[in-house]
Amino acid sequence: MAFFTWLFTRHEGGQFVLRTEDTDRTRSTEAFEAAILEDLRWLGISWDEGPDVGGPVGPYRQTERAGLYREHAAILVERGAAYPCYCLPEELEAERQRAAAEHRPFRYSGRCRDLTPAGRAEMEAAGRRATLRFRVPAAHGPLVVDDLVLGRVEFAPEDLDDFIIQRSDGSPLYNFANVVDDHTMRITHITRGAEHLSNTPRQFLMYEAFGWAQPRVAHFPSLLGVDRKKLSKRHGDTAVREYKAQGYLPEALVNFFALMGWYPEDGREIFSVEEMITRFRIEDVGKSGAVFDAQKLTWMNGVYLQEALRRTPERVVELVVEALRGAGLLDGDAGPEQRAYVARVVAIMGERLRLPKDVLTYGDFFFRDEIVYDPQAVRKQFRGQATAAMLGRLRDALGGVVPFELAGIEKAVRDTAAALGVESKDVIHPVRVALTGKTVGPGLFELIAVLGRERVLARLDRAARLAQETVPHGDGAR
RNA sequence: GGCCCCAUCGUCUAGAGGCCUAGGACGCGGCCCUCUCAAGGCCGAAACGGGGAUUCGAAUUCCCCUGGGGCCA
């Protein structure tokens, strides 16, 4: 993906040229491009030239460069470095099948390589439309790729078949289009995924045919899914969208991506974009593909969410509002009042969040009129009449707390426990269940203050009735 | 199928001949702290794919195999 290219150019102080490679027309739409650019921007990845901002060597969309490719294909044909091939896909497929059946490697037969003008005319007359094939030179030394990440890699030219550079409809193939683009855009360093390594010798051959200097290349390790298969482009791109929608922070994503294949010398894992750029060294990039570990990403997001909480709590509030909306616990048009309420909630439980949606597991009760009692929690903390009585007492105590604030609330709870001759926690736990329906969540006193007297008293009442019905099991647990 | 790349805990990785009893991080388990959970602190389980070779000595170099991935089809 564009990520390492960005890191590399920013570190080296070069120009990052973004190009839309949409020769694979089946899945290329303007909307698709716009979405990708938007995601990159959201991640904080910036470029100096590209389809949206233009630049001196544009246009930056391959579909807008069709003429350029045709011109250059013509040059190769003129030089004899490429030739029209009239073989039909079905014929090629048949040859391939035959090769497989006879257990020998499939090579292009070269049938059209030395077609005479008369032979070509015959094919044309038969209504065949030609693709263009690149003629791999017969006697050529080893093709050496001196990769910035992988080191020296050699390919034997005789292993390369004459390959197609232009489809019969005149559209260019990826490999060819890239060579033309990279040269005409004066690209000095090609940085791309490792899956393109095998294309490199073919591209070098084309550079030679044109008489162009070869740029440096760097192949970064691929990102793998949990199945160890390479994350497809589509897959990876939609992933960013999904993480964004789930409330992941872009800085967490960027930090996480950086660690996929590259580690700073001192082993630190959390660093800012600035640090990342200054410390990034292409020679430290690993060679093996890395599996995307969603759990670690989530952990890292927690780290950044905590930082955001300290620095810009309103940003966390915004994220939490989105999560609540998504869960249907907040109106679509959360007004300032509701936001202020969410802010209070975030203030007392923000440190528990790794993802905005964690608000649902720790604090959904702040946003429900009817809270949901976790049966297990009820069974564990409610002891029939005794609990009901205790809740009633606390209700009365809380009813008299003025102002309804932390200190008074805590005193009321602890005094109730003392009056009952039990430990504070023996009151706190059942009360938490009574007010929230669960055994996990923010501190009880804080939560009571945020909930407010009215709701607290109502929930205590309701819980007392529930507790009464909850007869302790005779299982000897206590 | 041919060619190419890769190979350390489940995952991301440190390690560039002795510093390795293989280190860190996420995750996992335990303990502590504590009103619960989370966080935090401490502790723990967990890896050099296999076989040769070089060397006084190999995770580290070389070869083969195996496995995974990719490109071309």
Side-chain angles (χ1 to χ4, degrees):
Chain A
M1 71 182 287
F3 179 77
F4 281 115
T5 305
W6 166 74
L7 250 191
F8 178 63
T9 53
R10 294 288 98 116
H11 176 78
E12 299 292 334
Q15 300 287 109
F16 179 7
V17 180
L18 192 67
R19 181 170 70 224
T20 307
E21 303 190 328
D22 46 4
T23 53
D24 180 2
R25 298 143 305 159
T26 51
R27 64 173 179 203
S28 303
T29 65
E30 269 177 52
F32 193 58
E33 175 193 290
I36 290 173
L37 297 196
E38 190 192 317
D39 291 342
L40 288 176
R41 235 175 268 123
W42 176 73
L43 284 171
I45 291 175
S46 57
W47 49 95
D48 305 298
E49 300 174 26
D52 58 331
V53 292
V57 295
Y60 295 85
R61 281 185 197 95
Q62 288 187 329
T63 45
E64 294 172 6
R65 316 182 117 240
L68 197 62
Y69 306 132
R70 268 193 283 274
E71 282 168 33
H72 283 85
I75 292 173
L76 290 183
V77 172
E78 201 176 307
R79 294 183 183 180
Y83 57 87
C85 171
Y86 296 91
C87 297
L88 266 16
E90 307 87 82
E91 294 171 343
L92 261 10
E93 180 56 31
E95 280 185 39
R96 198 172 305 131
Q97 303 264 338
R98 212 173 310 131
E102 293 167 18
H103 296 288
R104 57 181 171 77
F106 167 71
R107 306 288 316 272
Y108 167 60
S109 68
R111 200 156 63 109
C112 301
R113 183 152 37 205
D114 300 306
L115 235 40
T116 59
R120 283 178 193 161
E122 197 177 310
M123 289 295 192
E124 301 272 357
R128 294 203 180 203
R129 301 188 63 196
T131 61
L132 249 31
R133 263 185 205 275
F134 184 87
R135 189 192 305 271
V136 175
H140 193 291
L143 291 155
V144 178
V145 175
D146 188 16
D147 192 276
L148 258 19
V149 172
L150 263 15
R152 182 191 168 91
V153 184
E154 265 192 37
F155 295 85
E158 52 273 24
D159 290 327
L160 266 30
D161 257 346
D162 286 359
F163 51 93
I164 297 177
I165 60 172
Q166 190 179 82
R167 299 186 183 91
S168 56
D169 66 1
S171 66
L173 265 81
Y174 171 87
N175 261 331
F176 172 65
N178 270 15
V179 167
V180 173
D181 289 335
D182 287 333
H183 179 260
T184 55
M185 290 180 166
R186 302 200 298 274
I187 301 298
T188 57
H189 296 255
I190 299 173
T191 52
R192 43 160 53 153
E195 64 272 20
H196 289 120
L197 178 64
S198 322
N199 286 324
T200 311
R202 276 177 257 273
Q203 298 191 326
F204 278 9
L205 246 16
M206 289 188 266
Y207 279 98
E208 279 182 13
F210 278 118
W212 293 341
Q214 294 166 3
R216 298 301 312 268
V217 294
H219 288 93
F220 291 95
S222 317
L223 228 52
L224 275 22
V226 278
D227 56 359
R228 292 223 136 250
K229 288 256 198 301
K230 187 183 105 54
L231 242 36
S232 73
K233 187 153 188 72
R234 186 177 205 89
H235 202 124
D237 291 336
T238 54
V240 172
R241 311 231 92 194
E242 274 163 30
Y243 286 118
K244 179 182 177 184
Q246 283 181 54
Y248 281 83
L249 264 17
E251 53 268 47
L253 250 1
V254 164
N255 193 152
F256 183 74
F257 283 142
L259 256 22
M260 303 260 75
W262 169 74
Y263 257 69
E265 321 83 80
D266 60 4
R268 251 182 69 211
E269 297 195 307
I270 304 289
F271 33 73
S272 69
V273 169
E274 295 73 39
E275 285 178 290
M276 202 181 296
I277 288 170
T278 59
R279 303 173 62 174
F280 177 81
R281 302 196 320 158
I282 202 162
E283 52 268 50
D284 291 337
V285 173
K287 298 177 177 181
S288 52
V291 174
F292 196 93
D293 181 2
Q295 279 190 315
K296 186 154 185 173
L297 203 214
T298 300
W299 164 78
M300 195 168 275
N301 197 69
V303 172
Y304 278 97
L305 202 60
Q306 292 312 310
E307 189 181 303
L309 199 59
R310 288 190 295 275
R311 260 192 244 252
T312 49
E314 63 281 359
R315 193 176 163 212
V316 179
V317 170
E318 186 53 39
L319 256 14
V320 169
V321 165
E322 283 309 312
L324 289 167
R325 265 193 195 137
L329 292 181
L330 212 59
D331 293 347
D333 55 331
E337 235 171 88
Q338 280 185 298
R339 280 195 148 62
Y341 178 60
V342 173
R344 293 188 71 197
V345 171
V346 166
I348 65 168
M349 56 166 279
E351 60 183 8
R352 268 153 251 257
L353 305 177
R354 291 192 311 171
L355 288 174
K357 70 165 196 254
D358 288 339
V359 68
L360 303 175
T361 84
Y362 294 118
D364 65 323
F365 56 88
F366 283 118
F367 306 94
R368 291 184 198 278
D369 292 329
E370 287 286 301
I371 63 171
V372 182
Y373 288 99
D374 169 15
Q376 276 203 326
V378 170
R379 215 176 310 132
K380 189 173 170 200
Q381 297 297 345
F382 284 9
R383 306 259 98 90
Q385 185 57 45
T387 301
M390 182 272 282
L391 292 177
R393 262 185 106 124
L394 181 65
R395 194 217 122 95
D396 294 341
L398 250 17
V401 172
V402 179
F404 201 67
E405 282 167 6
L406 219 50
I409 292 166
E410 174 160 5
K411 187 169 187 317
V413 173
R414 295 203 188 277
D415 285 353
T416 302
L420 256 23
V422 299
E423 285 190 70
S424 295
K425 63 168 105 177
D426 293 327
V427 170
I428 288 170
H429 294 324
V431 171
R432 180 193 313 286
V433 174
L435 297 176
T436 72
K438 47 185 71 184
T439 56
V440 302
L444 184 71
F445 314 130
E446 288 84 353
L447 141 198
I448 288 175
V450 171
L451 235 24
R453 188 194 324 261
E454 198 183 323
R455 276 191 291 183
V456 168
L457 298 192
R459 286 183 190 188
L460 248 19
D461 281 339
R462 186 183 161 205
R465 289 195 296 276
L466 180 65
Q468 224 148 18
E469 297 159 13
T470 311
V471 184
H473 291 315
D475 58 7
R478 189 173 280 245

